[in-house]
Amino acid sequence: MTNSGPKNNSLSYAEAGVDIAAGNHLVDLIKPLAKSTRRKGSKPSLGGFGGLFDLKACGFKDPVLVAANDGVGTKLKLAIDSGVHHGVGIDLVAMSVNDLVVQGAEPLFFLDYYATGKLDVKAARDVIAGIVDGCKQAGCALVGGETAEMPGMYHGADYDLAGFAVGAVERKKILPAKDVKAGDVILGLASSGPHSNGYSLIRKIIEVSGYRLKDAAPFAKGQTVAEALLTPTRIYVKPILKALRKGLGIKALAHITGGGFTENIPRVLPNGTVAAIDLFAVPYPPVFKWLAKQGGVAEAEMLRTFNCGVGMIVVVEALDAKAISATLKRAGETVVTLGTIRNRKGREPQVAYAGHLAE
């Protein structure tokens, strides 16, 4: 028989490693942040059992809800190791809301999940402040979330993130449109860097390069390696919604995430078509050149791992390409013409490359 010890030897949740008081303090700190994301249809109020949203108040007539969720991946390791947490909060929002807008949807609200072994209130607040910034950039409300302190599941103050976004689109305006065809033009919107993809490879490249996170970045003047690689994912929502609401001929959008051009562009192409991409037109930033050189990464691998400088693909009617490009530029985007849609020849890949990425 096992000795269970004295009956008066009671344990508490805190002694098991969970600090309820710290969690409550965090909620108090972030309540005003969440409130600042209020938009039509929402009344952000943390602390309840669920977040409420009034879809009717947004003015939709025949809406279809669109939902997306994602994380930040091993980019979190760079944030944890460098102590710079704000940007990954923006990343968390960006990865989901950019997936919503490619279907023509307006992001409406967002929820986050923050899991850690030992709650560091300051780090958590920095992350959630970034989430709030991301929600403001996307025009959606932070209506709730969950903070889970799980000793034994995570090492020390290491944490993981998950984000959940819901948007809506009028049924008749769901993208991609059914009329994507040969002759349509492919535009590209510049990225802010690797965004939140390929960081397991990036971390390996840093390791073999001999650089440390605190070293000056040879590819970003005035920044350390960590600061440059923690540049947040660009959120394309407001410029794209502006162009869509003008009724211009945007037929399809592709968010360039893990899988790069090679895997993501075919997701919006009809059977029998190919995206013909001119690699000489890709705005290939120094960070990608550095990664390719330091890691000896082949061009084909770069194109199916990273965005290589283009975070969003926009497929448009040829006659509307100039007007759409101008609208997106006025909204702050850097726009390049990457190629065209053409008919597929036999069993060739659905993304056909010409030229090479700049060296």
Side-chain angles (χ1 to χ4, degrees), residues 33-105:
L33 297 177
K35 188 176 180 180
S36 71
T37 67
R38 181 177 294 178
R39 54 151 293 157
K40 187 179 292 185
S42 76
K43 290 184 180 180
S45 179
L46 301 189
F49 288 98
L52 303 178
F53 193 91
D54 181 359
L55 188 59
K56 186 177 180 181
C58 295
F60 287 96
K61 294 180 175 60
D62 184 22
V64 173
L65 293 178
V66 185
N69 73 295
D70 210 333
V72 182
T74 58
K75 187 175 185 178
L76 288 178
K77 283 295 292 178
L78 297 188
I80 292 166
D81 291 346
S82 63
V84 180
H85 305 283
H86 182 274
V88 293
I90 298 174
D91 287 314
L92 186 67
V93 177
M95 296 305 289
S96 285
V97 297
N98 284 341
D99 279 353
L100 293 185
V101 80
V102 299
Q103 293 182 267

Side-chain angles (χ1 to χ4, degrees), residues 118-346:
K118 177 66 176 176
L119 182 60
D120 180 333
V121 173
K122 183 182 182 304
R125 187 200 176 280
D126 287 348
V127 170
I128 294 169
I131 291 171
V132 166
D133 281 353
C135 286
K136 289 178 178 178
Q137 290 180 39
C140 64
L142 178 61
V143 299
E146 173 71 10
T147 301
E149 194 172 20
M150 299 188 289
M153 285 291 291
Y154 297 91
H155 177 70
D158 283 2
Y159 62 87
D160 197 10
L161 300 174
F164 310 85
V166 174
V169 58
E170 296 290 0
R171 193 178 305 274
K172 293 181 179 179
K173 296 182 179 180
I174 295 172
L175 296 178
K178 291 181 171 55
D179 61 345
V180 175
K181 65 182 189 309
D184 289 343
V185 171
I186 304 168
L187 304 177
L189 307 186
S191 68
S192 57
H195 286 178
S196 297
N197 302 107
Y199 274 80
S200 293
L201 177 55
I202 288 173
R203 288 169 49 242
K204 186 65 177 179
I205 290 171
I206 294 171
E207 179 185 324
V208 301
S209 75
Y211 279 85
R212 298 169 298 174
L213 294 180
K214 64 182 180 181
D215 290 341
F219 50 86
K221 187 176 180 180
Q223 291 185 299
T224 65
V225 171
E227 288 169 343
L229 290 173
L230 285 169
T231 300
T233 304
R234 187 164 183 82
I235 293 176
Y236 300 98
V237 170
K238 289 183 178 179
I240 288 175
L241 288 179
K242 185 174 183 179
L244 289 171
R245 287 166 181 162
K246 280 194 169 187
L248 301 175
I250 293 179
K251 295 185 173 185
L253 298 154
H255 184 199
I256 306 303
T257 55
F261 288 5
T262 306
E263 302 293 336
N264 286 292
I265 296 177
R267 296 165 70 176
V268 299
L269 297 180
N271 292 332
T273 63
V274 167
I277 303 293
D278 176 9
L279 293 180
F280 290 127
V282 174
Y284 196 47
V287 60
F288 294 108
K289 297 175 186 178
W290 183 83
L291 290 168
K293 182 177 180 181
Q294 293 295 322
V297 185
E299 183 177 84
E301 185 70 9
M302 292 295 293
L303 288 165
R304 71 173 189 177
T305 303
F306 301 112
N307 65 60
C308 294
V310 175
M312 185 70 72
I313 293 290
V314 187
V315 178
V316 303
E317 182 73 37
L319 292 175
D320 296 327
K322 187 174 181 180
I324 292 170
S325 180
T327 296
L328 292 169
K329 286 178 180 178
R330 285 194 295 270
E333 298 300 327
T334 299
V335 186
V336 295
T337 301
L338 293 176
T340 58
I341 305 295
R342 63 168 173 78
N343 292 321
R344 192 176 187 184
K345 301 172 184 176

